[in-house]
Amino acid sequence: MASPVHADTTPGPGRDPVPGADVPAARGGLRPAPGIQIPAWHKPTRAPVKLPKKFRRGMPSQGIHSNIDSFAPLLFMQSGPNPGLQAWSIAHHAFAPPAAAKITCVNIADGTHCTDPAGQPTAWPKTLNTQPSALGTLPSALDAKIGDISTTEVPQYITNPLDTSLILYPAVTSTPFAGYPKGSVGVGCLLLATQYNCGYQPLAPLTNNPGKSNTNGLTGFIQVGDEIYGASTDGQVLCYNTLNLLRCDGQPYKNTGIIPNNDKAGIGPQDFLGNTETVNGRVYISSNNESGFSTTPHPPTVTCFDPAAKAPCAGWTPQADGGPDAMRILAIFTERDAQNNAVGVCTVAGQKTKKAPVVTCHDFNGGIRPTPPGLQEIFPADGAKSVVFQPTQIAYSQQQRSYFPFYTEDGKYKGDTLCYNWTTRAACEGFPEPSGHPLVNNGFTLDYGYAFYQPTGCLVGSGHKGWIFGIHPENGTSIC
């Protein structure tokens, strides 16, 4: 691994504080395998950061264009030269060119793009890199490129609770390292406060074996205890320990029950078609097959993995949710009772036809549970090829609510939010179902995901069209 950063190695104009710049190549011309490296000069950011009220305003009602096809935003309260609430977005898809810009930052209060760490104007979006380096710069490491990372279809992220500036994200790279000569999937690291790539940890090698199931990409990450989990396209489960910043012992795990997708030879890097969620300490992973590049054709399924046993959950087999017209499952979430207890796990399957998306709920042994009252009814019909992504659950007005991103590929629904109230076991009162965003890009947003910021009481969304926008949790408007 690269040598650590010394305490006096601080970022500054014309200076690239890259650890390991003088580390020689490993045998065969490959770099030593890298890892997550937190510079000694980094000061952890702990929430909440108290700032004047003017820096905590909601965002402009017309939204802000991020300049990238960005997934669910990351909200970060910056206290440095550019103070205030920031929305960070990372572009998705493993097949996106690694050298393409993939990350952007906007100021919520005034709709402008963020300055650099010194408070000076800077261009966005920027590239991501496996080597420790300032965002969008050329690292000093051997044979480095200005950008060498892509992500996945649903790039779910992990925020360190003790340092809200530290983000771990799913990464795919073709950059060779010792032990990973043809590239790898793994964990990328960002420090938002200082706009810094803090390294990369491979979790599994990319493969290209004709006639076999291959690692071409990975899912997003979820956290269980001190470990984060995801899956690779060949159905292996990936694991990384957030305390010691090392791979979990024995990973990647092969006994998972996950049906591979996008795993044929010759197509990587490529997305894992599905997403992940954790419910009651277990990991649930959906696998879809709409690309036609899977070695095992299958309907959309959801599988349960037990991190304690490092094996499929007892009693579970892959569940084909959504009926005969199911196209993809991209929403997995906790079913809750009126007292906010977890009582099951539910999925929403988008449909190929104009049928409404289909909700299916399971108990923790894999059996089917009745769908909660009113939940199926919030999903509209009349639009073909429906897409529903992971809901965001929040506590609002002393009620537990879930907000679902929704659109249809035929253009009938161009980007809408749906709301379900677990406390009342019904659609959210006063919230239009569906609720579009007409002030944002004429309503053409194609929503991917939301984040909630408690001090302003606003949801912040983003989607395929690159807009970052506000959503009022009570009435669905972008005036928030």
Side-chain angles (χ1 to χ4, degrees), residues 190-255:
L190 291 170
L191 294 174
L192 302 184
T194 50
Q195 301 177 11
Y196 192 79
N197 292 296
C198 43
Y200 167 78
Q201 178 70 66
L203 296 179
L206 292 176
T207 60
N208 186 19
N209 301 311
K212 296 183 179 180
S213 183
N214 289 277
T215 297
N216 291 323
L218 77 169
T219 65
F221 292 134
I222 49 86
Q223 186 161 359
V224 180
D226 296 324
E227 296 173 334
I228 62 176
Y229 289 86
S232 55
T233 54
D234 55 351
Q236 297 183 99
V237 168
L238 311 169
C239 180
Y240 183 74
N241 190 295
T242 61
L243 285 184
N244 58 25
L245 299 181
L246 294 172
R247 292 180 287 264
C248 303
D249 291 341
Q251 80 86 54
Y253 308 117
K254 300 182 184 302
N255 177 27

Side-chain angles (χ1 to χ4, degrees), residues 102-328:
K102 299 216 172 45
I103 187 167
T104 195
C105 175
V106 298
N107 297 306
I108 291 289
D110 59 11
T112 61
H113 279 84
C114 302
T115 62
D116 69 14
Q120 300 301 309
T122 186
W124 296 94
K126 299 180 184 293
T127 53
L128 296 172
N129 208 285
T130 58
Q131 300 296 316
S133 56
L135 292 178
T137 63
L138 181 64
S140 300
L142 180 70
D143 298 330
K145 301 174 183 178
I146 195 167
D148 66 348
I149 281 181
S150 297
T151 58
T152 187
E153 180 185 39
V154 184
Q156 296 154 286
Y157 324 111
I158 303 297
T159 301
N160 189 319
L162 300 179
D163 181 2
T164 59
S165 175
L166 175 56
I167 305 297
L168 301 177
Y169 66 95
V172 183
T173 183
S174 296
T175 297
F177 293 102
Y180 305 87
K182 297 181 180 179
S184 56
V185 298
V187 182
C189 180
L190 291 170
L191 294 174
L192 302 184
T194 50
Q195 301 177 11
Y196 192 79
N197 292 296
C198 43
Y200 167 78
Q201 178 70 66
L203 296 179
L206 292 176
T207 60
N208 186 19
N209 301 311
K212 296 183 179 180
S213 183
N214 289 277
T215 297
N216 291 323
L218 77 169
T219 65
F221 292 134
I222 49 86
Q223 186 161 359
V224 180
D226 296 324
E227 296 173 334
I228 62 176
Y229 289 86
S232 55
T233 54
D234 55 351
Q236 297 183 99
V237 168
L238 311 169
C239 180
Y240 183 74
N241 190 295
T242 61
L243 285 184
N244 58 25
L245 299 181
L246 294 172
R247 292 180 287 264
C248 303
D249 291 341
Q251 80 86 54
Y253 308 117
K254 300 182 184 302
N255 177 27
T256 68
I258 300 168
I259 302 178
N261 70 67
N262 257 1
D263 61 323
K264 286 187 176 180
I267 66 168
Q270 192 55 257
D271 290 336
F272 183 106
L273 302 175
N275 75 315
T276 58
E277 180 59 296
T278 178
V279 181
N280 275 10
R282 291 176 166 184
V283 178
Y284 294 87
I285 300 172
S286 66
S287 178
N288 302 305
N289 185 42
E290 74 266 24
S291 72
F293 294 124
S294 301
T295 59
T296 308
H298 62 280
T301 60
V302 62
T303 302
C304 180
F305 181 80
D306 186 348
K310 303 295 189 286
C313 300
W316 264 80
T317 56
Q319 304 287 314
D321 290 353
D325 294 320
M327 184 170 68
R328 57 174 77 97

Side-chain angles (χ1 to χ4, degrees), residues 328-352:
R328 57 174 77 97
I329 297 170
L330 294 171
I332 308 173
F333 53 98
T334 305
E335 180 190 352
R336 300 183 178 276
D337 63 18
Q339 290 73 45
N340 198 32
N341 299 306
V343 295
V345 58
C346 299
T347 67
V348 182
Q351 302 290 296
K352 302 172 186 176

